[in-house]
Amino acid sequence: MPCVDLLIHDENTKINFCKYIKFYYLCIFKSKISYMNYNNSQLEKKDSSLVPMISVTVLFFMWGFITSLNDVLIPFLKDVYSLSHFKANIVQFAFFGAYFVCALIFYMFARIGKDPITKMGYKNTLVIGLVIAAVACFLFAMTAKANLSFSIFLITLFLLGIGLTFLQIAANPFVSIIGDRETASSRLNLTQAFNSLGTTLGPALGGYFVFNYFAKESTGTDAVFIPYLFLACLLIAVTVFIYTSKISYTQEDEGISNAKESIFQKPYVLLGALGIFFYVGAEVAIGSNFVSYMKEMLGKPENVASAFLSYYWGGAMIGRFLGAVSLSNAKQSSKLIYMILLAIASFVIIFLVNYSLHGLVFHQVWFFIVFIVLNFIFFYLGKGKPALSLSIFAMVNLGLIISSFIATPTVAVWCVLAIGLFNSIMWGNVFTLAIDGLGSQTASASSLLVMAIVGGALLPPLQGLLADVIGIKYSFIIPMISYIYLCFYGLSGYKIGKK
């Protein structure tokens, strides 16, 4: 592993430092390495997981970036086409509805013994998904350039969602099987952290280019032409990278399970799918409606609200990096150091991006640090246990939404933004709890769980409809109900019917 030569000038110290960093990184994937017995031959054996993990991490980043751009598209298209809150949120219905349709097809093929991942392999599944997503971004750009109708945009977003569904179905179980079962949540939270890096940069960069840079020189929908054309080219580059990478894991690597036993006979899997439904629905609903929420609560314009939105998604990134460490098998004394360093580095990235693009200074965002400290405390209370951490974080989010109802507008906005910090580990924890011990049925269960992402299609329009009736502030009752269910799953739902 290359080492950045910044402050370490002694050659022996530099070599030992690099070896330790490489060893710790590998421990996340294959945690049963003893440092005392660590040697070069063991490193060579573990290196087989590195290239696949890096490849999938790049994918997580890309689809996070693309997904979060929808939060910028919603207020943009709302103004261009003069849409209501409900109609604007149809963007998410088209995008996440594709997850349900495509995942259902995957599941039906798996039920008749023709599982697509088994037939195609993880690598080919990922490549196909990337090609579809690249084509969808290109068509979206052409639609914007031609200033076509809102319905055409929805069709291209549906196609984009299909491409990302291929990535979701293959990548999530793939991350779980390339290391020890005990640290599956840690690995998934690590890749989800890079997904959140994408969702953090998406609103900040997308809001700047769409509302500030290209909007000055464009009319109508033309402002999103260049951004989506650039995304299409970037996806093609990632496709080439994945295609040329050595990824040889197959469905058979997952172990043995009773293939004759239906997934529907495992209540904890079905309850986990419902957990994914509510988690994705709540997370997307909050992100989709935040710009309108902040505009109404504090009177901020869309470009400024988009900048603040990156703290919501950035909070998820921070929490997932911390979750990857907290749920790993690293020594307890080392965990705190790594968590502090990762939290500081992540906050600095978010701050610098928004300071550079939107001029947000420290006194405008310092309150976010208070919630980061609270995130540390609740990670400690979770004791590195996925189910316990899930239930605690769900209860915290429930409290934050209730607080937003009664707090001053400024505090209420930060309560909503802080939800991202505690959303962080929910996807990884629910997903790994739901596929635990399934062996060869993992892909089938994964399709079912990805189908449940349809929550991102249904709950945002529902919140938008409620916002049109009772106002944007109290429409957050919708995600509040979601966190009540996630609390239940973390307390007891994950073990119902599990042998």
Side-chain angles (χ1 to χ4, degrees), residues 21 42 96 101 104 132 152 164 171 179 197 214 238-239 244 283 371 375 380 394 404 435-436 445 457 481 484-485:
I21 291 298
Q42 285 173 309
F96 287 100
V101 173
L104 178 61
I132 294 173
I152 303 298
L164 297 188
L197 177 60
F214 291 113
V238 175
T239 304
T244 56
E283 183 180 57
F371 290 106
N375 196 237
Y380 175 77
S404 73
I435 66 172
D436 184 43
I481 295 170
I484 292 173
Y485 177 82

Side-chain angles (χ1 to χ4, degrees), residues 45-348:
K45 184 182 292 186
K46 305 306 174 186
D47 278 344
S48 61
S49 297
L50 284 177
V51 172
M53 191 67 183
I54 292 170
S55 302
V56 175
T57 300
V58 171
L59 291 182
F60 272 79
F61 172 83
M62 281 302 301
W63 85 55
F65 189 94
I66 292 170
T67 301
S68 67
L69 283 180
N70 288 349
D71 297 337
V72 176
L73 277 179
I74 287 174
F76 174 74
L77 295 176
K78 184 175 182 291
D79 287 344
V80 171
Y81 292 103
S82 301
L83 305 173
S84 66
H85 286 298
F86 172 72
K87 289 182 179 179
N89 276 278
I90 294 296
V91 165
Q92 300 292 28
F93 179 81
F95 183 79
F96 287 100
Y99 279 79
F100 177 80
V101 173
C102 189
L104 178 61
I105 294 171
F106 265 75
Y107 178 76
M108 295 306 295
F109 274 106
R111 285 285 294 166
I112 61 175
K114 296 182 180 180
D115 177 54
I117 296 180
T118 302
K119 300 291 183 182
M120 298 184 295
Y122 285 104
K123 181 177 178 177
N124 290 334
T125 305
L126 296 175
V127 168
I128 292 171
L130 281 166
V131 171
I132 294 173
V135 171
C137 285
F138 177 77
L139 292 176
F140 189 97
M142 294 300 103
T143 300
K145 188 67 175 176
N147 279 302
L148 299 180
S149 67
F150 179 59
S151 60
I152 303 298
F153 277 108
L154 296 181
I155 294 172
T156 59
L157 285 171
F158 183 85
L159 182 62
L160 180 57
I162 288 177
L164 297 188
T165 305
F166 274 74
L167 304 183
Q168 287 271 19
I169 290 175
N172 284 288
F174 180 64
V175 171
S176 297
I177 70 170
I178 61 175
D180 284 345
R181 174 178 169 182
E182 292 82 1
T183 53
S185 287
S186 176
R187 289 191 302 280
L188 201 48
N189 274 300
L190 179 65
T191 52
Q192 284 288 328
F194 283 94
N195 178 268
S196 293
L197 177 60
T199 58
T200 301
L201 296 178
L205 294 174
Y208 173 77
F209 284 110
V210 172
F211 291 119
N212 288 22
Y213 189 81
F214 291 113
K216 295 178 181 179
E217 304 175 0
S218 307
T219 58
T221 58
D222 199 33
V224 296
F225 168 68
I226 296 295
Y228 275 85
L229 188 62
F230 174 76
L231 281 177
C233 296
L234 198 58
L235 284 168
I236 292 298
V238 175
T239 304
V240 174
F241 173 70
I242 296 295
Y243 184 75
T244 56
S245 298
K246 293 182 179 179
I247 300 177
S248 58
Y249 286 85
T250 61
Q251 190 73 41
E252 286 73 23
D253 294 322
E254 297 175 15
I256 301 171
S257 180
N258 183 5
K260 294 182 180 180
E261 188 178 2
S262 171
I263 289 296
F264 289 96
Q265 293 177 313
K266 301 178 185 294
Y268 74 95
V269 177
L270 301 180
L271 293 173
L274 196 55
I276 293 291
F277 175 92
F278 280 118
Y279 159 70
V280 175
E283 183 180 57
V284 174
I286 293 170
S288 300
N289 291 283
F290 177 78
V291 173
S292 297
Y293 176 77
M294 190 172 183
K295 188 176 180 180
E296 184 173 309
M297 295 290 285
L298 298 177
K300 301 292 184 181
E302 284 89 350
N303 63 321
V304 175
S306 295
F308 276 93
L309 178 61
S310 68
Y311 279 89
Y312 171 72
W313 294 112
M317 176 183 70
I318 293 172
R320 283 165 178 166
F321 274 127
L322 301 188
V325 177
S326 177
L327 297 169
S328 71
N329 284 351
K331 291 182 180 179
Q332 196 65 36
S333 57
S334 301
K335 284 184 179 182
L336 182 61
I337 297 173
Y338 295 133
M339 290 171 75
I340 291 174
L341 291 175
L342 284 168
I344 293 173
S346 300
F347 177 80
V348 168

Side-chain angles (χ1 to χ4, degrees), residues 371-386:
F371 290 106
I372 294 177
V373 174
L374 289 175
N375 196 237
F376 268 88
I377 294 172
F378 288 111
F379 263 120
Y380 175 77
L381 295 176
K383 300 178 181 179
K385 299 178 179 179

